[in-house]
Amino acid sequence: MRTLRITTAVVSALGVLTLSACGAADTGKKNDVGGKKSVTLTVPSWVGAQANTAVAAYILKKELGYTVKTQQMGEVLAWDALAKGDVDAIMEDWGHPKEEKQYVATKKTVVKGGDLGVTGHIGWFVPKYYADAHPEVTDYKNLNKYVKDLKTAESGGKGEILEGSPDYVTNDDALIKNLKLDLKTNYSGSEAAQITAMKKYAKAKKPFLTYWWTPQWLNAQIDMVEVKLPQYKAGCDADPKKIACAYPNTPLQKYFNADFAKNGGEAAQFLKNFKWTTEQQNEVALMIAGEKMSPEAAAEKWVKENESTWKAWLPKK
Amino acid sequence: MTAVVTAPAKEAAAPERTLRSLLRHRVKGKLLLIAVAALVLIPAGIALWGSGSWPGELTVNVSGPLDDANQWVIDNRDTHPVFLYFLLHFSNTAVDAVDVVYRFLDAMGWLGVVVAGVLIAWRAAGLGRRGVKVAGTAFVAFAVCGLLGMWDATLLTIALMVVAVAVAALLGVLIGLAAGLSDRVDRALRPVLDTMQVMPAFAYLLPFVLVFGTGTPAALFCTVIYAAPPMARLTALGLRGADPAVLEASASLGASGWQRLRTARLPLARRQMLLGLNQTIMMALSMVVIAALVGAGGLGEQVYSALSTVDVGKALAAGIPIVLIAVWLDRTTAAAGDRIGESAPGGGLLHGRSAWALVFAGVVAAVLGRLAIGTAWPEGWTYDISTPVNKAQNWITEHLSSGIPVLGGTEVWSEHFTLWILNPLRDVLTWLPWWSLLLLVAALAWLVGTWVTALTATVSMAAIGVLGVWAKSLDTLSQVLAALVLTLFLGVLAGIFCARAGRLERWLRPVLDAMQTMPQFVYLIPVVALFGVTRASAIIAAVVYALPAVVRITTQGLREVDPAALEASRSLGASPRQQLLQVQLPLARPALQLAVNQGVVLVLAVVVVGGLVGGGALGYDVVKGLSRGEMGIGMTAGVAIVCLGLVLDRITQPTTRKTD
């Protein structure tokens, strides 16, 4: 009797499931709370991007009355989510040619959101105390003379160049080979590990060479000097194996989900208008990372002090 | 390779003696044969292939097809019927389920959740002192979560855990039923379960994200994959272990197969199944931070975002609640498990159904209480530990990393360890000609097992070469070996001390709990600050994670040594040292072997995390595959890690294969 009942239950449950599967699933956004007044932003893992996302989220919430959801994830995953509509906007992108081609040019599920106003630059850096003591080190041609200073247990007799997270674009292995440098890359595997190592070196005033970039909040705590690499020319980084030139200057970009850009109303317009300077971004970033304020608190403080800047970003009524 | 700690040890014990004596006789013969084979094969190898790394023409490029598959999914997931009519339902259901649980918990209010946690813990652990203790643990756990300002994140994590554990347990029971009732299914499933646990979640997170989308769905399914195997294994073990006499009796009473399963076999397996549930919960909790990498939110996200500002204090504030949830669930399920089979003393208001009714009434009362005090955790009742913790961390790293007289400091140790142990080990492994490594693996595996063992190990090793990650895998292998030796040395030593001094074990228990469940991401920064961006840091992270299991298994193994044997040796005048070396350790051999197995599995599980602090090699590749969205790189490295696991398992586990 009981067996029969269980069988009936299972069969009917399966039936209902099959029937429900007949309808196409909803591919639209599941995250919408109460319809249109909600925005989802991705929070990249580095602090500069956290700063502008926090400020944007704060103004969206307090001034425009939106519900803002933030999601932290890797850059490429964020692009994927952006294309699917799980995320509405990326506020700071350092250039993803493959994804841009795929989603912006071909599938048209992502659209450009304009400049952020901040210019990013990747390069090789040494700490200022070391550059001051050995001015020659700031040219790549002289790096081989300083190999003994840069040696570590991991570099096997060569000089070590500290690398960051696998997220980041790097040509350093090709550069070392093509410029005939006696260096070896050591991949720290995460930004946190890289920063910890740099802070440790700086505290002991030890020499080191690292893959690094600006704008970066840590630059306010450790003075860094860029090592000169052969000048960047358009197209010199076309073949990854033959690269022998510096990294370009990248005006950082915003990207929006195509539907959001079209139907996002005030929020989309506001995010499109959002544009500030490197100094402004660093100010907020340093509050978050240096003073360990929460991103919301840092954004609130900045918004209170810089009304004239952000008032201009609000959509005209 | 199981992550299950206690159960299989006893299984292996019985056939162990006979097998070992068999091996004894055979070893000499095998050695002779291997020597002959070496004499013939090594010159042949040198003549044919010379020396050095795996030859390029013997590799197969699997990255290309994988990346193509990746692309196909991206192109078709909005239109293809497989997604629209099938897979999307999964992801939508997953989101809804977690959402419902979270809203429910949130609506109960903080008082409701605390009271429910405490009362259920009390009911599960029974009355008396034990019940009070477990209930007290639950109360402290929840209170601290709130005090640290993590109440909302904790609720979200619990919601995710409830759904993930429910699905994993269901899946595990189904697999376990199949494996427990049929030998053939059991054999076929074993490698599948092994792979589910050894394959780093980072490697398969990407395909799940592509198919199911970021956020809750991908995180949920990855957690289920990682957490289901212990439930499956222990269910199968429980079903197999059922007393034949009872089954015989129920069969003779005319029960059908289905009835027998329901009325005899499943109830008899209850204890094992509950242990499986306990392990499943622990595994699921260890995935919390990885889930956050794809945007699942909760405590994991707090840990992960604290990392980007290098804020150890904040990461710890989110890590402690994860440990506390684990302790609360562990003590509650363990207490419930211990009570199975105990006869309840009499009826009364505080037993059986009426006790559950009491629990329910209490929760309802507390939930109503939220009307008076609000649902959110009171803002004023929080304490920020971030600043003091960061100060303490700075002080410690500053004073320990260098400049200690005589000892030198952690930085010096790390450098010496890298230069004198890791580098030579890696250099020897990479210097050995590829074919000689295959021969070595084959010989070792054959020596400890059968020719099937040898074949599996050699094929796995060869697969690494074919995948084209030979050099990187050897680099990883050298790190894994170093970590393994260190773990086993420290773990067995600590286990011996614990077995001899019960007080030490009680004192260590919370420390071991924390080491196992605290997300590695929390202590990565202090480890880097102490040991630098080196492979040594990666090894420390692995040792911290793998040590507790080894200590626990060793302690338990030594404790369970037959007291009569010990008594006999004592009466013969053996000193404590002689007792240990000649009686306890040899008799605890099965447990020690299990400890080695767990050491291998757990060290491999952390290879990826090591990639985040300078471990490089395969671990870095897996992380790179995920963060760059390149499935080829990540999956290849992930499969290579599984192959390494197989090789190490086969050459370190002489007997378990036999008893399977």
Side-chain angles (χ1 to χ4, degrees):
Chain A
M1 207 38 217
R2 192 152 178 185
T3 324
L4 188 71
R5 242 185 302 163
I6 294 175
T7 321
T8 327
V10 169
V11 167
S12 46
L14 278 177
V16 171
L17 198 72
T18 326
L19 274 178
S20 75
C22 287
D26 176 20
T27 54
K29 279 183 283 181
K30 293 293 294 178
N31 294 331
D32 271 12
V33 193
K36 46 194 183 309
K37 282 290 229 184
S38 103
V39 179
T40 307
L41 299 175
T42 171
V43 186
S45 66
W46 61 96
V47 183
Q50 274 184 15
N52 53 50
T53 311
V55 169
Y58 184 82
I59 299 173
L60 278 172
K61 262 187 228 165
K62 298 282 160 173
E63 295 295 323
L64 300 172
Y66 278 83
T67 312
V68 182
K69 202 170 162 234
T70 53
Q71 276 203 327
Q72 183 151 34
M73 62 182 102
E75 288 175 75
V76 176
L77 297 182
W79 265 92
D80 193 62
L82 188 68
K84 285 183 76 176
D86 290 342
V87 164
D88 291 322
I90 294 179
M91 292 302 290
E92 178 178 324
D93 184 77
W94 283 66
H96 288 87
K98 192 177 129 205
E99 281 74 25
E100 278 165 47
K101 193 168 152 241
Q102 185 166 349
Y103 296 123
V104 180
T106 315
K107 299 191 74 178
K108 303 201 194 307
T109 47
V110 175
V111 294
K112 285 191 173 184
D115 280 2
L116 176 70
V118 179
T119 299
H121 177 66
I122 300 171
W124 292 6
F125 287 78
V126 290
K128 186 155 184 297
Y129 54 80
Y130 184 51
D132 286 347
H134 307 276
E136 283 204 316
V137 83
T138 57
D139 192 319
Y140 78 94
K141 289 180 194 130
N142 306 320
L143 274 178
N144 280 350
K145 283 189 231 160
Y146 295 94
V147 162
K148 62 175 191 321
D149 286 352
L150 303 171
K151 233 173 4 192
T152 67
E154 286 292 322
S155 62
K158 297 178 173 180
E160 175 182 292
I161 172 162
L162 192 62
E163 296 282 328
S165 150
D167 254 357
Y168 308 149
V169 178
T170 168
N171 310 326
D172 290 359
D173 282 310
L175 279 171
I176 290 170
K177 193 166 147 263
N178 297 331
L179 298 175
K180 300 194 173 51
L181 296 171
D182 203 11
L183 297 175
K184 187 171 181 292
T185 47
N186 182 19
Y187 290 94
S188 53
S190 60
E191 191 187 6
Q194 191 184 12
I195 290 175
T196 309
M198 287 170 65
K199 276 185 163 171
K200 196 171 97 172
Y201 284 132
K203 197 166 242 168
K205 294 266 180 272
K206 269 194 207 156
F208 66 94
L209 172 68
T210 183
Y211 167 99
W212 198 235
W213 63 96
T214 59
Q216 226 294 348
W217 59 277
L218 191 68
N219 297 346
Q221 295 183 354
I222 305 172
D223 256 333
M224 304 288 291
V225 178
E226 189 173 357
V227 174
K228 218 181 107 217
L229 290 170
Q231 212 192 347
Y232 176 83
K233 286 190 200 79
C236 75
D237 51 1
D239 182 354
K241 285 208 174 88
K242 288 188 185 148
I243 293 176
C245 61
Y247 293 87
N249 288 321
T250 318
L252 304 181
Q253 299 297 312
K254 294 172 287 182
Y255 285 96
F256 301 149
N257 173 272
D259 289 336
F260 172 73
K262 213 195 289 167
N263 310 321
E266 285 191 324
Q269 191 57 43
F270 163 73
L271 292 176
K272 208 169 267 176
N273 295 345
F274 188 110
K275 190 169 184 178
W276 62 353
T277 64
T278 307
E279 291 72 35
Q280 285 167 328
Q281 190 187 55
N282 271 346
E283 198 185 316
V284 182
L286 198 66
M287 281 191 254
I288 297 172
E291 297 163 27
K292 308 275 185 228
M293 284 168 78
S294 74
E296 294 80 35
E300 188 179 349
K301 192 168 171 226
W302 186 87
V303 166
K304 292 233 161 85
E305 288 166 5
N306 294 276
E307 203 159 312
S308 60
T309 314
W310 59 263
K311 277 268 151 97
W313 302 337
L314 296 179
K316 306 276 174 296
K317 299 213 168 159
Chain B
M1 299 212 282
T2 111
V4 165
V5 174
T6 39
K10 288 177 207 147
E11 282 287 289
E16 157 76 2
R17 306 302 306 172
T18 50
L19 198 107
R20 204 167 145 217
S21 51
L22 241 167
L23 256 177
R24 276 271 159 74
H25 287 290
R26 279 195 186 159
V27 161
K28 276 183 194 158
K30 278 186 180 177
L31 275 177
L32 193 73
L33 268 172
I34 287 173
V36 172
L39 273 179
V40 180
L41 288 173
I42 290 176
I46 294 173
L48 274 173
W49 300 296
S51 60
S53 185
W54 187 269
E57 59 267 34
L58 289 187
T59 60
V60 175
N61 179 14
V62 287
S63 289
L66 279 174
D67 287 332
D68 289 346
N70 188 340
Q71 190 59 44
W72 184 86
V73 170
I74 292 176
D75 287 341
N76 290 287
R77 66 182 166 201
D78 298 331
T79 49
H80 200 279
V82 170
F83 291 92
L84 287 184
Y85 292 90
F86 186 62
L87 294 171
L88 262 170
H89 283 292
F90 278 98
S91 59
N92 291 348
T93 313
V95 174
D96 291 341
V98 175
D99 205 42
V100 163
V101 178
Y102 173 72
R103 276 159 202 256
F104 178 70
L105 289 174
D106 195 40
M108 277 171 80
W110 64 271
L111 193 63
V113 175
V114 173
V115 169
V118 171
L119 284 182
I120 291 171
W122 166 78
R123 178 66 187 85
L127 296 166
R129 269 187 64 202
R130 177 130 200 219
V132 174
K133 229 172 124 185
V134 174
T137 313
F139 177 73
V140 172
F142 280 109
V144 173
C145 293
L147 277 176
L148 289 169
M150 290 290 161
W151 185 255
D152 199 49
T154 305
L155 284 193
L156 190 51
T157 295
I158 292 181
L160 191 65
M161 284 300 110
V162 166
V163 179
V165 168
V167 179
L170 190 68
L171 185 72
V173 167
L174 290 179
I175 298 177
L177 271 177
L181 298 178
S182 148
D183 282 330
R184 192 178 294 169
V185 175
D186 185 46
R187 269 200 305 278
L189 279 177
R190 197 167 287 272
V192 178
L193 294 178
D194 283 350
T195 311
M196 280 161 82
Q197 288 199 296
V198 178
M199 176 80 110
F202 275 72
Y204 55 77
L205 203 46
L206 183 65
F208 276 91
V209 169
L210 291 178
V211 174
F212 295 111
T214 48
T216 312
L220 191 70
F221 294 129
C222 284
T223 308
V224 168
I225 291 186
Y226 187 64
M231 189 78 214
R233 283 184 221 267
L234 279 162
T235 305
L237 191 74
L239 287 178
R240 275 159 197 280
D243 189 350
V246 175
L247 296 182
E248 189 65 32
S250 82
S252 68
L253 287 171
S256 69
W258 166 246
Q259 279 173 329
R260 223 171 349 156
L261 179 70
R262 211 165 49 81
T263 58
R265 299 188 83 164
L266 277 178
L268 283 173
R270 252 199 327 199
R271 190 184 284 266
Q272 257 93 6
M273 285 168 70
L274 207 63
L275 182 66
L277 183 67
N278 173 308
Q279 289 290 316
T280 292
I281 293 171
M282 294 300 132
M283 297 274 144
L285 270 170
S286 69
M287 291 286 286
V288 163
V289 179
I290 292 178
L293 288 177
V294 290
L299 291 167
E301 183 168 2
Q302 300 289 326
V303 173
Y304 180 50
S305 74
L307 258 195
S308 61
T309 50
V310 202
D311 190 341
V312 182
K314 198 177 147 211
L316 192 68
I320 291 173
I322 298 177
V323 175
L324 290 176
I325 294 177
V327 171
W328 159 56
L329 288 170
D330 176 61
R331 303 292 189 266
T332 307
T333 47
D338 286 351
R339 272 171 20 104
I340 286 181
E342 256 177 41
S343 58
L349 197 61
L350 296 175
H351 293 282
R353 287 199 183 147
S354 54
W356 281 117
L358 267 180
V359 168
F360 185 71
V363 173
V364 170
V367 169
L368 290 176
R370 84 178 196 276
L371 296 173
I373 50 172
T375 54
W377 184 268
E379 192 96 354
W381 294 6
T382 56
Y383 179 71
D384 184 17
I385 62 162
S386 162
T387 319
V389 168
N390 284 329
K391 277 198 183 125
Q393 189 241 336
N394 280 340
W395 189 87
I396 290 171
T397 49
E398 214 167 290
H399 286 79
L400 291 184
S401 65
S402 62
I404 301 176
V406 187
L407 294 174
T410 50
E411 217 168 297
V412 182
W413 303 344
S414 134
E415 189 173 330
H416 285 303
F417 186 74
T418 307
L419 285 178
W420 299 109
I421 296 177
L422 276 181
N423 284 353
L425 192 59
R426 182 185 60 185
D427 293 346
V428 165
L429 283 176
T430 41
W431 168 81
L432 281 174
W434 60 273
W435 47 267
S436 73
L437 260 180
L438 287 187
L439 287 180
L440 192 67
V441 165
L444 280 176
W446 191 51
L447 214 53
V448 296
T450 59
W451 65 270
V452 182
T453 329
L455 191 69
T456 326
T458 319
V459 168
S460 311
M461 196 71 198
I464 291 171
V466 172
L467 287 172
V469 285
W470 184 254
K472 276 180 183 160
S473 299
L474 293 184
D475 189 351
T476 296
L477 182 62
S478 73
Q479 295 176 39
V480 168
L481 287 176
L484 201 57
V485 170
L486 210 57
T487 311
L488 291 177
F489 176 73
L490 293 175
V492 171
L493 209 62
I496 290 172
F497 280 121
C498 281
R500 309 216 127 194
R503 195 177 301 163
L504 181 70
E505 199 207 0
R506 273 205 303 281
W507 184 74
L508 268 182
R509 193 170 168 195
V511 180
L512 297 183
D513 279 342
M515 281 162 81
Q516 250 182 333
T517 44
M518 179 69 79
Q520 291 96 17
F521 290 73
V522 174
Y523 53 78
L524 287 186
I525 297 170
V527 166
V528 171
L530 285 171
F531 299 93
V533 174
T534 59
R535 281 166 285 152
S537 288
I539 286 170
I540 304 284
V543 171
V544 170
Y545 183 62
L547 202 54
V550 176
V551 174
R552 286 197 170 123
I553 298 169
T554 313
T555 310
Q556 202 186 1
L558 290 177
R559 284 257 170 82
E560 278 176 4
V561 165
D562 187 2
L566 262 184
E567 193 53 51
S569 75
R570 212 170 293 145
S571 68
L572 288 171
S575 66
R577 193 165 151 270
Q578 282 171 324
Q579 285 172 29
L580 177 72
L581 291 180
Q582 291 170 7
V583 183
Q584 281 187 305
L585 284 181
L587 284 184
R589 226 186 90 157
L592 293 179
Q593 266 165 11
L594 186 68
V596 174
N597 164 292
Q598 286 297 300
V600 170
V601 173
L602 296 176
V603 165
L604 280 171
V606 198
V607 161
V608 173
V609 173
L612 294 170
V613 287
L618 295 180
Y620 182 84
D621 272 6
V622 174
V623 182
K624 186 173 163 184
L626 175 65
S627 60
R628 288 259 182 101
E630 291 173 29
M631 201 149 99
I633 294 181
M635 280 299 245
T636 310
V639 171
I641 292 176
V642 174
C643 290
L644 278 183
L646 271 172
V647 173
L648 286 172
D649 183 62
R650 294 301 188 271
I651 62 182
T652 53
Q653 296 294 306
T655 53
T656 48
R657 294 297 134 187
K658 283 296 203 170
T659 56
D660 279 352

